[in-house]
Amino acid sequence: MPPQPLARPLHPSSVYRFADLDELDRVSDGVEPGFVYARDGHPNAAWLGEKLARLEGAAWAIPCGSGMAALSAAILTYVTAGGRIVAADQLYGRTAKLLRNELPRLGITTTFVDAADLDAVREALRAPTQVLLVETISNPLCRVADLSALADIAHAAGAKLVVDNTFATPILCRPAELGAVLVMESLTKMIGGHSDLLLGSLAGNDPELRQAVAASVSSWGFSAPPFDCWLCERGLATLDLRVRTASANALRIAEWLQGRPGVRRVVYPGLARHPDHALADRQFGGSFGHMLCFELDGGREAVNRFVRGVPEIPLSPSLGDTGTTLSHPDSTSHRYESAAAKTVLGITPGLLRMSVGIEPFDRLCEALAVGLPVE
Ligand SMILES: *Cc1c(COP(=O)(O)O)cnc(C)c1O
């Protein structure tokens, strides 16, 4: 074999060519390695999948076209018409919309529970349920799910635990090792890490489930495009560094924001007063992630003043970039929730969600301080 390139090649081809029918048969039957048609698989997805599986501590991982594609594939793999999902009541906005607005058309209903209340979860699972869906760290208020306990409860009730691990990333938490049957990640966020790709993934241990997920991904058209996989694999090279640096920054920023004039509360699992601090410490081994929330005195007007006053920190409703970004749950993820529902969840007009980046801490503080009232 001639010397191979060190950098990963990109294979944009949508289809492969064969010497004869016999070769086509061997590749189609999996007797010989190779690819036929890119919706069913291609080299960049395979390479990314191998690396993701290792990161997740799982037997396999399959990249999908987005986080929502991965979540849809997970649900469509398990849940049939007339089926039922039990889901956490704090979820990424589009996930809540999928469960509330799309799945009922297929006869699939969802019951929402407080995932921190294990008795409530047990109670909700008394009716036949296919899937228990939770986020390791919830959007936006960073509640932490006790994954081992939830896995036991789900499996005792005959349901499968599906975990959205996007806020935690596999650096903080590997749900497949804690009993989750399927682990979903939006690679668009911290794992891709540079706000320049859209991808998701599903990981698991059961080899038969792998076949079912792969079939679901290809049949429903949830496949991942080569260029995004190529970019994401490049992002993976620095994932550990980025998560650790951003988590360390987030803890310091949370402490720095606490008690500053104009800041009513700070929500971060790394703070001792966070309701899930002890669980987070045990489950994540001393890092608490890059996501935090803080509430400003003065509601929406105060948020507008702050956002206009911190030009270096973009208001940008995503997360996981190398740079710190802000978002406003009240006008993005929870825009169409009723006022009553928002009050129950703690989504107030003054609440900002911050995805902390890897900037030098002092620079980040300076950038934020100019938008806050002087002490
Ligand atoms: C972004 C996100 C999703 C959806 O992922 P996309 O890649 O945008 O489709 C799902 N869950 C969480 C927690 C997310 O942050």
Side-chain angles (χ1 to χ4, degrees):
M1 208 167 33
Q4 296 298 296
L6 178 60
R8 189 69 92 188
L10 169 64
H11 293 289
S13 188
S14 61
V15 69
Y16 291 76
R17 56 179 290 175
F18 300 89
D20 55 24
L21 294 175
D22 298 343
E23 186 186 28
L24 176 60
D25 279 350
R26 289 195 302 276
V27 173
S28 298
D29 293 341
V31 178
E32 202 169 281
F35 303 93
V36 178
Y37 188 61
R39 183 163 30 68
D40 300 318
H42 54 77
N44 292 101
W47 287 320
L48 177 60
E50 276 169 31
K51 285 202 176 154
L52 287 172
R54 232 173 294 142
L55 260 176
E56 300 276 9
W60 52 266
I62 297 179
C64 302
S66 68
M68 292 315 297
L71 195 61
S72 301
I75 289 167
L76 291 166
T77 298
Y78 275 128
V79 186
T80 51
R84 182 166 175 270
I85 297 170
V86 170
D89 60 4
Q90 286 199 25
L91 288 172
Y92 180 71
R94 188 53 70 177
T95 303
K97 289 189 184 81
L98 173 69
L99 299 173
R100 277 212 194 100
N101 305 343
E102 303 297 322
L103 294 180
R105 293 191 287 112
L106 306 180
I108 298 167
T109 55
T110 301
T111 302
F112 294 91
V113 288
D114 176 358
D117 182 346
L118 297 179
D119 287 331
V121 175
R122 228 175 258 118
E123 186 59 33
L125 286 171
R126 282 161 61 110
T129 305
Q130 279 85 52
V131 162
L132 172 62
L133 173 66
V134 302
E135 294 175 358
T136 307
I137 301 177
S138 77
N139 177 62
L141 285 165
C142 300
R143 290 306 303 260
V144 178
D146 185 342
L147 297 182
S148 307
L150 289 167
D152 288 346
I153 292 169
H155 301 154
K160 309 291 186 190
L161 177 64
V162 175
V163 174
D164 178 340
N165 197 47
T166 303
F167 276 29
T169 80
I171 303 302
L172 260 60
C173 185
R174 298 167 150 205
E177 294 177 348
L178 300 174
V181 174
L182 275 179
V183 184
M184 170 264 177
E185 311 272 359
S186 170
L187 309 179
T188 311
K189 313 297 170 52
M190 194 60 161
I191 294 182
H194 299 75
S195 301
D196 54 8
L197 62 86
L198 196 64
L199 284 180
S201 65
L202 286 174
N205 283 317
D206 178 347
E208 275 174 33
L209 181 58
R210 185 193 197 288
Q211 296 310 315
V213 168
S216 169
V217 166
S218 189
S219 298
W220 291 93
F222 295 139
S223 323
F227 182 57
D228 292 60
C229 291
W230 183 87
L231 274 176
C232 190
E233 212 188 329
R234 183 179 170 134
L236 282 189
T238 54
L239 179 63
D240 193 273
L241 281 172
R242 286 185 288 107
V243 170
R244 294 193 191 287
T245 304
S247 294
N249 269 350
L251 179 59
R252 291 179 72 189
I253 289 289
E255 286 166 347
W256 177 82
L257 280 170
Q258 271 196 125
R260 279 194 68 101
V263 178
R264 184 173 296 183
R265 65 171 171 148
V266 180
V267 181
Y268 183 65
L271 297 176
R273 68 199 305 185
H274 186 282
D276 305 320
H277 176 68
L279 167 64
D281 199 18
R282 170 161 57 81
Q283 197 162 257
F284 305 149
S287 281
F288 300 93
H290 60 292
M291 299 302 295
L292 63 84
C293 286
F294 59 102
E295 185 174 354
L296 294 176
D297 285 327
R300 184 185 166 88
E301 262 324 294
V303 169
N304 254 337
R305 261 197 314 278
F306 177 72
V307 168
R308 290 177 191 133
V310 293
E312 285 181 49
I313 314 284
L315 172 67
S316 193
S318 186
L319 56 124
D321 195 79
T322 51
T324 298
T325 56
L326 291 165
S327 78
H328 187 237
D330 188 40
S331 47
T332 53
S333 58
H334 291 70
R335 189 179 190 94
Y336 302 108
E337 299 276 347
S338 68
K342 283 193 272 204
T343 305
V344 170
L345 294 175
I347 311 293
T348 57
L351 188 76
L352 277 160
R353 190 188 75 182
M354 184 153 74
S355 170
V356 179
I358 58 172
E359 302 93 333
F361 174 74
D362 293 342
R363 209 174 87 203
L364 190 49
C365 277
E366 267 168 44
L368 289 169
V370 294
L372 288 169
V374 283
E375 291 183 72

